[in-house]
């Protein structure tokens, strides 16, 4: 009898773009996307969480999810980064999407420390490179996995005009890939 394929879902949750990645038990990427939540029709966090779930359900389809991995909430301030209001809003959004995903996919939600997830996928942060860590992780993952379904477009303006560049939501998609793959490896599933 053929074993049913197992799927693992990962999120990089925020109030503007929620990254989503679905992998199978062999760590092959099935879905890699960013759900944009910036529409002016979305006037509050509840509507944004509902939209994120509508889109997640479409992307996942009828696949049976084994585990859901989400980035653990930040527990302290980062220099020049987040205010208490921002951290609180992100924590609320994280809780909403985590709970709605638990209900929708009937799967356990596991918080994953982002630093541990990055290490589990082979990323080592070098302090000599002064760029933001999120940017360094994106470069590392897109170089290591150029074959993933990265969404791109030709830039019309700016320093990259006429060149093919990644869509802005791909950074959040990349983070969801790190969370699901790192989470799966950390938990040894």
């Amino acid at each position: 009898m053929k074993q049913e394929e197992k799927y693992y879902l990962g999120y990089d949750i925020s109030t503007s773009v929620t990254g989503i990645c679905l992998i199978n038990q062999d760590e092959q990427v099935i879905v890699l996307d960013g759900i944009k939540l910036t529409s002016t029709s979305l006037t509050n966090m509840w509507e944004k969480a509902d939209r994120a779930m509508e889109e997640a359900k479409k992307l996942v389809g009828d696949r049976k999810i084994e585990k859901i991995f989400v980035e653990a909430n930040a527990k302290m301030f980062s220099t020049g980064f987040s205010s208490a209001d921002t951290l609180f809003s992100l924590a609320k959004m994280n809780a909403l999407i985590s709970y709605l995903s638990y209900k929708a996919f009937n799967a356990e939600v596991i918080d994953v420390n982002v630093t541990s997830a990055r290490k589990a996928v082979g990323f080592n942060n070098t302090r000599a490179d002064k760029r933001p860590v999120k940017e360094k992780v994106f470069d590392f993952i897109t170089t290591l996995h150029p074959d993933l379904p990265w969404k791109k477009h030709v830039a019309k303006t700016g320093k990259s005009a006429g060149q093919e560049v990644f869509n802005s939501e791909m950074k959040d998609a990349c983070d969801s890939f790190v969370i699901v793959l790192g989470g799966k490896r950390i938990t040894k599933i």
Side-chain angles (χ1 to χ4, degrees):
M1 184 169 152
K2 186 179 175 189
Q3 182 183 357
E4 185 176 324
E5 191 154 26
K6 295 180 180 179
Y7 296 96
Y8 303 89
L9 185 59
Y11 288 116
D12 175 50
I13 299 169
S14 87
T15 57
S16 57
V17 177
T18 290
I20 182 170
C21 185
L22 181 70
I23 63 173
N24 66 12
Q25 72 264 9
D26 298 322
E27 300 182 351
Q28 294 173 316
V29 173
I30 310 301
V31 171
L32 182 69
D33 210 343
I35 302 167
K36 292 182 181 179
L37 303 172
T38 53
S39 169
T40 55
S41 67
L42 303 173
T43 60
N44 60 53
M45 194 172 299
W46 316 112
E47 291 173 355
K48 289 181 178 200
D50 283 341
R51 172 70 56 82
M53 284 313 304
E54 288 168 15
E55 296 301 317
K57 287 179 193 176
K58 287 179 196 172
L59 292 167
V60 169
D62 62 356
R63 297 177 184 96
K64 168 87 173 83
I65 304 300
E66 289 292 314
K67 302 280 184 200
I68 301 166
F69 297 98
V70 299
E71 182 178 338
N73 291 323
K75 294 178 178 67
M76 62 182 153
F77 298 104
S78 298
T79 305
F81 176 67
S82 295
S83 69
D85 283 344
T86 301
L87 290 179
F88 188 64
S89 292
L90 289 172
K92 286 184 352 187
M93 190 70 165
N94 191 321
L96 282 169
I97 292 179
S98 294
Y99 177 72
L100 292 171
S101 293
Y102 165 77
K103 295 296 280 183
F105 302 120
N106 194 29
E108 178 184 9
V109 177
I110 300 170
D111 285 343
V112 178
N113 175 284
V114 68
T115 303
S116 299
R118 289 170 179 158
K119 187 175 179 183
V121 301
F123 175 79
N124 291 310
N125 190 17
T126 58
R127 304 249 188 254
D129 184 342
K130 301 295 184 194
R131 296 178 301 152
V133 176
K134 187 171 181 132
E135 195 175 310
K136 293 187 278 187
V137 170
F138 185 71
D139 287 349
F140 173 79
I141 295 295
T142 55
T143 300
L144 194 62
H145 299 284
D147 54 326
L148 292 181
W150 302 109
K151 291 183 178 180
K152 298 179 180 182
H153 67 280
V154 175
K156 292 185 167 88
T157 60
K159 66 179 181 180
S160 300
Q163 297 175 27
E164 188 176 54
V165 296
F166 292 99
N167 290 8
S168 61
E169 70 271 15
M170 287 296 99
K171 287 189 178 176
D172 299 287
C174 177
D175 287 345
S176 67
F177 170 75
V178 170
I179 292 297
V180 70
L181 185 60
K184 183 177 179 293
R185 290 177 178 179
I186 290 165
T187 58
K188 296 176 176 44
I189 296 174

